[in-house]
mmCIF file of all heavy atoms in Angstrom:
data_model
loop_
_atom_site.group_PDB
_atom_site.id
_atom_site.type_symbol
_atom_site.label_atom_id
_atom_site.label_comp_id
_atom_site.label_asym_id
_atom_site.label_seq_id
_atom_site.Cartn_x
_atom_site.Cartn_y
_atom_site.Cartn_z
ATOM 1 N N TYR A 28 -22.569 -4.134 -11.540
ATOM 2 C CA TYR A 28 -22.014 -4.592 -10.274
ATOM 3 C C TYR A 28 -23.091 -4.676 -9.209
ATOM 4 O O TYR A 28 -23.024 -5.509 -8.327
ATOM 5 C CB TYR A 28 -20.920 -3.637 -9.788
ATOM 6 C CG TYR A 28 -19.592 -3.829 -10.493
ATOM 7 C CD1 TYR A 28 -19.036 -2.809 -11.226
ATOM 8 C CD2 TYR A 28 -18.910 -5.026 -10.385
ATOM 9 C CE1 TYR A 28 -17.825 -2.972 -11.862
ATOM 10 C CE2 TYR A 28 -17.699 -5.190 -11.019
ATOM 11 C CZ TYR A 28 -17.155 -4.165 -11.757
ATOM 12 O OH TYR A 28 -15.965 -4.334 -12.370
ATOM 13 N N GLY A 29 -24.026 -3.772 -9.215
ATOM 14 C CA GLY A 29 -25.039 -3.747 -8.164
ATOM 15 C C GLY A 29 -24.515 -3.020 -6.951
ATOM 16 O O GLY A 29 -23.783 -2.037 -7.052
ATOM 17 N N ALA A 30 -24.850 -3.512 -5.764
ATOM 18 C CA ALA A 30 -24.470 -2.841 -4.522
ATOM 19 C C ALA A 30 -23.018 -3.089 -4.165
ATOM 20 O O ALA A 30 -22.432 -2.348 -3.384
ATOM 21 C CB ALA A 30 -25.364 -3.296 -3.382
ATOM 22 N N LEU A 31 -22.397 -4.143 -4.700
ATOM 23 C CA LEU A 31 -21.035 -4.496 -4.307
ATOM 24 C C LEU A 31 -20.048 -4.165 -5.434
ATOM 25 O O LEU A 31 -19.404 -5.029 -6.000
ATOM 26 C CB LEU A 31 -20.957 -5.985 -3.964
ATOM 27 C CG LEU A 31 -21.923 -6.427 -2.860
ATOM 28 C CD1 LEU A 31 -21.905 -7.934 -2.722
ATOM 29 C CD2 LEU A 31 -21.547 -5.765 -1.557
ATOM 30 N N ALA A 32 -19.926 -2.891 -5.735
ATOM 31 C CA ALA A 32 -18.982 -2.458 -6.753
ATOM 32 C C ALA A 32 -17.568 -2.616 -6.230
ATOM 33 O O ALA A 32 -17.325 -2.541 -5.020
ATOM 34 C CB ALA A 32 -19.237 -1.007 -7.119
ATOM 35 N N PRO A 33 -16.585 -2.852 -7.111
ATOM 36 C CA PRO A 33 -15.213 -3.039 -6.629
ATOM 37 C C PRO A 33 -14.647 -1.736 -6.077
ATOM 38 O O PRO A 33 -14.995 -0.655 -6.518
ATOM 39 C CB PRO A 33 -14.462 -3.493 -7.878
ATOM 40 C CG PRO A 33 -15.243 -2.951 -9.011
ATOM 41 C CD PRO A 33 -16.683 -2.966 -8.566
ATOM 42 N N PHE A 34 -13.766 -1.904 -5.090
ATOM 43 C CA PHE A 34 -13.140 -0.748 -4.450
ATOM 44 C C PHE A 34 -12.046 -0.211 -5.366
ATOM 45 O O PHE A 34 -11.218 -0.963 -5.862
ATOM 46 C CB PHE A 34 -12.548 -1.172 -3.101
ATOM 47 C CG PHE A 34 -11.722 -0.106 -2.465
ATOM 48 C CD1 PHE A 34 -12.326 1.017 -1.920
ATOM 49 C CD2 PHE A 34 -10.343 -0.196 -2.420
ATOM 50 C CE1 PHE A 34 -11.564 2.010 -1.339
ATOM 51 C CE2 PHE A 34 -9.582 0.786 -1.841
ATOM 52 C CZ PHE A 34 -10.197 1.894 -1.298
ATOM 53 N N LYS A 35 -12.066 1.099 -5.562
ATOM 54 C CA LYS A 35 -11.023 1.723 -6.374
ATOM 55 C C LYS A 35 -10.198 2.598 -5.441
ATOM 56 O O LYS A 35 -10.675 3.623 -4.968
ATOM 57 C CB LYS A 35 -11.643 2.565 -7.483
ATOM 58 C CG LYS A 35 -10.615 3.186 -8.411
ATOM 59 C CD LYS A 35 -11.276 3.930 -9.537
ATOM 60 C CE LYS A 35 -10.220 4.530 -10.442
ATOM 61 N NZ LYS A 35 -10.807 5.356 -11.486
ATOM 62 N N PRO A 36 -8.965 2.187 -5.146
ATOM 63 C CA PRO A 36 -8.171 2.994 -4.208
ATOM 64 C C PRO A 36 -7.802 4.342 -4.822
ATOM 65 O O PRO A 36 -7.614 4.459 -6.027
ATOM 66 C CB PRO A 36 -6.939 2.136 -3.957
ATOM 67 C CG PRO A 36 -6.829 1.280 -5.159
ATOM 68 C CD PRO A 36 -8.238 1.040 -5.648
ATOM 69 N N SER A 37 -7.725 5.330 -3.974
ATOM 70 C CA SER A 37 -7.333 6.665 -4.443
ATOM 71 C C SER A 37 -5.830 6.702 -4.675
ATOM 72 O O SER A 37 -5.087 5.861 -4.168
ATOM 73 C CB SER A 37 -7.739 7.719 -3.422
ATOM 74 O OG SER A 37 -7.090 7.462 -2.195
ATOM 75 N N GLU A 38 -5.412 7.667 -5.420
ATOM 76 C CA GLU A 38 -3.989 7.806 -5.696
ATOM 77 C C GLU A 38 -3.263 8.234 -4.428
ATOM 78 O O GLU A 38 -3.834 8.928 -3.582
ATOM 79 C CB GLU A 38 -3.778 8.849 -6.787
ATOM 80 C CG GLU A 38 -4.330 8.442 -8.125
ATOM 81 C CD GLU A 38 -4.042 9.468 -9.198
ATOM 82 O OE1 GLU A 38 -3.207 10.362 -8.965
ATOM 83 O OE2 GLU A 38 -4.660 9.370 -10.268
ATOM 84 N N PRO A 39 -2.006 7.796 -4.259
ATOM 85 C CA PRO A 39 -1.291 8.170 -3.034
ATOM 86 C C PRO A 39 -1.113 9.694 -2.945
ATOM 87 O O PRO A 39 -0.835 10.355 -3.935
ATOM 88 C CB PRO A 39 0.057 7.457 -3.152
ATOM 89 C CG PRO A 39 0.163 6.995 -4.554
ATOM 90 C CD PRO A 39 -1.215 6.941 -5.117
ATOM 91 N N SER A 40 -1.288 10.200 -1.743
ATOM 92 C CA SER A 40 -1.210 11.652 -1.558
ATOM 93 C C SER A 40 0.234 12.102 -1.375
ATOM 94 O O SER A 40 1.167 11.300 -1.382
ATOM 95 C CB SER A 40 -2.052 12.053 -0.351
ATOM 96 O OG SER A 40 -1.544 11.433 0.804
ATOM 97 N N ALA A 41 0.410 13.395 -1.157
ATOM 98 C CA ALA A 41 1.754 13.961 -1.082
ATOM 99 C C ALA A 41 2.476 13.552 0.187
ATOM 100 O O ALA A 41 3.706 13.528 0.225
ATOM 101 C CB ALA A 41 1.675 15.473 -1.155
ATOM 102 N N ASN A 42 1.747 13.219 1.246
ATOM 103 C CA ASN A 42 2.443 12.856 2.486
ATOM 104 C C ASN A 42 3.007 11.442 2.446
ATOM 105 O O ASN A 42 3.720 11.037 3.351
ATOM 106 C CB ASN A 42 1.518 13.022 3.692
ATOM 107 C CG ASN A 42 0.330 12.080 3.648
ATOM 108 O OD1 ASN A 42 0.136 11.393 2.645
ATOM 109 N ND2 ASN A 42 -0.442 12.067 4.708
ATOM 110 N N MET A 43 2.720 10.682 1.392
ATOM 111 C CA MET A 43 3.270 9.329 1.281
ATOM 112 C C MET A 43 4.770 9.353 1.036
ATOM 113 O O MET A 43 5.449 8.363 1.275
ATOM 114 C CB MET A 43 2.580 8.577 0.121
ATOM 115 C CG MET A 43 1.130 8.254 0.391
ATOM 116 S SD MET A 43 0.933 7.062 1.708
ATOM 117 C CE MET A 43 1.517 5.593 0.921
ATOM 118 N N ARG A 44 5.294 10.457 0.577
ATOM 119 C CA ARG A 44 6.720 10.506 0.296
ATOM 120 C C ARG A 44 7.555 10.465 1.574
ATOM 121 O O ARG A 44 8.744 10.226 1.536
ATOM 122 C CB ARG A 44 7.052 11.740 -0.528
ATOM 123 C CG ARG A 44 6.872 13.037 0.195
ATOM 124 C CD ARG A 44 7.354 14.188 -0.666
ATOM 125 N NE ARG A 44 7.075 15.448 0.000
ATOM 126 C CZ ARG A 44 6.140 16.296 -0.363
ATOM 127 N NH1 ARG A 44 5.383 16.024 -1.392
ATOM 128 N NH2 ARG A 44 5.950 17.405 0.298
ATOM 129 N N HIS A 45 6.929 10.700 2.716
ATOM 130 C CA HIS A 45 7.659 10.670 3.985
ATOM 131 C C HIS A 45 7.689 9.268 4.604
ATOM 132 O O HIS A 45 8.418 9.051 5.556
ATOM 133 C CB HIS A 45 7.019 11.650 4.972
ATOM 134 C CG HIS A 45 6.990 13.057 4.484
ATOM 135 N ND1 HIS A 45 8.131 13.811 4.270
ATOM 136 C CD2 HIS A 45 5.954 13.863 4.125
ATOM 137 C CE1 HIS A 45 7.807 15.007 3.841
ATOM 138 N NE2 HIS A 45 6.478 15.071 3.720
ATOM 139 N N LEU A 46 6.889 8.368 4.066
ATOM 140 C CA LEU A 46 6.828 7.015 4.630
ATOM 141 C C LEU A 46 7.775 6.088 3.872
ATOM 142 O O LEU A 46 7.864 6.133 2.648
ATOM 143 C CB LEU A 46 5.401 6.480 4.548
ATOM 144 C CG LEU A 46 4.343 7.325 5.279
ATOM 145 C CD1 LEU A 46 2.963 6.742 5.040
ATOM 146 C CD2 LEU A 46 4.635 7.372 6.763
ATOM 147 N N ARG A 47 8.465 5.235 4.611
ATOM 148 C CA ARG A 47 9.360 4.267 3.982
ATOM 149 C C ARG A 47 8.590 2.996 3.676
ATOM 150 O O ARG A 47 7.682 2.618 4.405
ATOM 151 C CB ARG A 47 10.505 3.913 4.925
ATOM 152 C CG ARG A 47 11.479 5.009 5.132
ATOM 153 C CD ARG A 47 12.671 4.475 5.898
ATOM 154 N NE ARG A 47 13.327 5.580 6.573
ATOM 155 C CZ ARG A 47 13.985 5.486 7.694
ATOM 156 N NH1 ARG A 47 14.076 4.309 8.291
ATOM 157 N NH2 ARG A 47 14.562 6.518 8.221
ATOM 158 N N LYS A 48 8.985 2.369 2.616
ATOM 159 C CA LYS A 48 8.365 1.100 2.292
ATOM 160 C C LYS A 48 8.923 0.049 3.260
ATOM 161 O O LYS A 48 10.115 0.078 3.591
ATOM 162 C CB LYS A 48 8.677 0.692 0.855
ATOM 163 C CG LYS A 48 7.975 1.585 -0.147
ATOM 164 C CD LYS A 48 8.224 1.068 -1.549
ATOM 165 C CE LYS A 48 7.509 1.978 -2.530
ATOM 166 N NZ LYS A 48 7.717 1.539 -3.900
ATOM 167 N N PRO A 49 8.066 -0.827 3.727
ATOM 168 C CA PRO A 49 8.566 -1.837 4.688
ATOM 169 C C PRO A 49 9.543 -2.805 4.011
ATOM 170 O O PRO A 49 9.396 -3.156 2.846
ATOM 171 C CB PRO A 49 7.308 -2.538 5.144
ATOM 172 C CG PRO A 49 6.314 -2.324 4.068
ATOM 173 C CD PRO A 49 6.674 -0.995 3.448
ATOM 174 N N ILE A 50 10.530 -3.170 4.780
ATOM 175 C CA ILE A 50 11.513 -4.158 4.287
ATOM 176 C C ILE A 50 11.020 -5.536 4.723
ATOM 177 O O ILE A 50 10.863 -5.828 5.925
ATOM 178 C CB ILE A 50 12.908 -3.877 4.890
ATOM 179 C CG1 ILE A 50 13.369 -2.472 4.477
ATOM 180 C CG2 ILE A 50 13.892 -4.937 4.440
ATOM 181 C CD1 ILE A 50 14.628 -2.027 5.185
ATOM 182 N N VAL A 51 10.736 -6.355 3.743
ATOM 183 C CA VAL A 51 10.205 -7.692 4.027
ATOM 184 C C VAL A 51 11.389 -8.606 4.371
ATOM 185 O O VAL A 51 12.308 -8.786 3.562
ATOM 186 C CB VAL A 51 9.422 -8.228 2.830
ATOM 187 C CG1 VAL A 51 8.875 -9.632 3.143
ATOM 188 C CG2 VAL A 51 8.306 -7.279 2.459
ATOM 189 N N LYS A 52 11.345 -9.157 5.578
ATOM 190 C CA LYS A 52 12.427 -10.050 5.989
ATOM 191 C C LYS A 52 12.151 -11.459 5.428
ATOM 192 O O LYS A 52 11.030 -11.924 5.453
ATOM 193 C CB LYS A 52 12.506 -10.127 7.511
ATOM 194 C CG LYS A 52 12.917 -8.813 8.123
ATOM 195 C CD LYS A 52 13.010 -8.935 9.624
ATOM 196 C CE LYS A 52 13.397 -7.603 10.237
ATOM 197 N NZ LYS A 52 13.424 -7.677 11.700
ATOM 198 N N PRO A 53 13.194 -12.066 4.934
ATOM 199 C CA PRO A 53 12.963 -13.432 4.408
ATOM 200 C C PRO A 53 12.641 -14.395 5.547
ATOM 201 O O PRO A 53 13.137 -14.257 6.673
ATOM 202 C CB PRO A 53 14.264 -13.779 3.732
ATOM 203 C CG PRO A 53 15.273 -12.860 4.326
ATOM 204 C CD PRO A 53 14.536 -11.630 4.772
ATOM 205 N N ILE A 54 11.785 -15.338 5.235
ATOM 206 C CA ILE A 54 11.396 -16.318 6.230
ATOM 207 C C ILE A 54 12.431 -17.456 6.227
ATOM 208 O O ILE A 54 12.715 -18.049 5.198
ATOM 209 C CB ILE A 54 9.994 -16.872 5.925
ATOM 210 C CG1 ILE A 54 8.996 -15.729 5.930
ATOM 211 C CG2 ILE A 54 9.595 -17.950 6.906
ATOM 212 C CD1 ILE A 54 7.617 -16.112 5.463
ATOM 213 N N GLU A 55 12.972 -17.717 7.409
ATOM 214 C CA GLU A 55 13.978 -18.773 7.521
ATOM 215 C C GLU A 55 13.300 -20.003 8.107
ATOM 216 O O GLU A 55 12.654 -19.962 9.145
ATOM 217 C CB GLU A 55 15.112 -18.315 8.443
ATOM 218 C CG GLU A 55 15.895 -17.193 7.862
ATOM 219 C CD GLU A 55 17.001 -16.734 8.796
ATOM 220 O OE1 GLU A 55 17.322 -17.444 9.765
ATOM 221 O OE2 GLU A 55 17.553 -15.644 8.548
ATOM 222 N N ILE A 56 13.525 -21.088 7.441
ATOM 223 C CA ILE A 56 12.935 -22.345 7.916
ATOM 224 C C ILE A 56 13.987 -23.217 8.523
ATOM 225 O O ILE A 56 15.058 -23.427 8.105
ATOM 226 C CB ILE A 56 12.204 -23.075 6.778
ATOM 227 C CG1 ILE A 56 11.126 -22.189 6.237
ATOM 228 C CG2 ILE A 56 11.662 -24.386 7.273
ATOM 229 C CD1 ILE A 56 10.355 -22.779 5.110
#
């Protein structure tokens, strides 16, 4: 890869259980 190795996200921590997943509103045309 060289200097630009791909980003590897860390696993979600324990405080993620308190956050709600966003509700995606449908786009109305």
Side-chain angles (χ1 to χ4, degrees):
Y28 282 119
L31 303 172
F34 172 72
K35 183 176 180 185
S37 61
E38 294 183 13
S40 61
N42 64 353
M43 291 293 289
R44 68 175 175 253
H45 301 294
L46 301 176
R47 290 189 204 150
K48 290 185 180 180
I50 300 171
V51 180
K52 294 181 181 177
I54 300 172
E55 293 179 14
I56 301 179

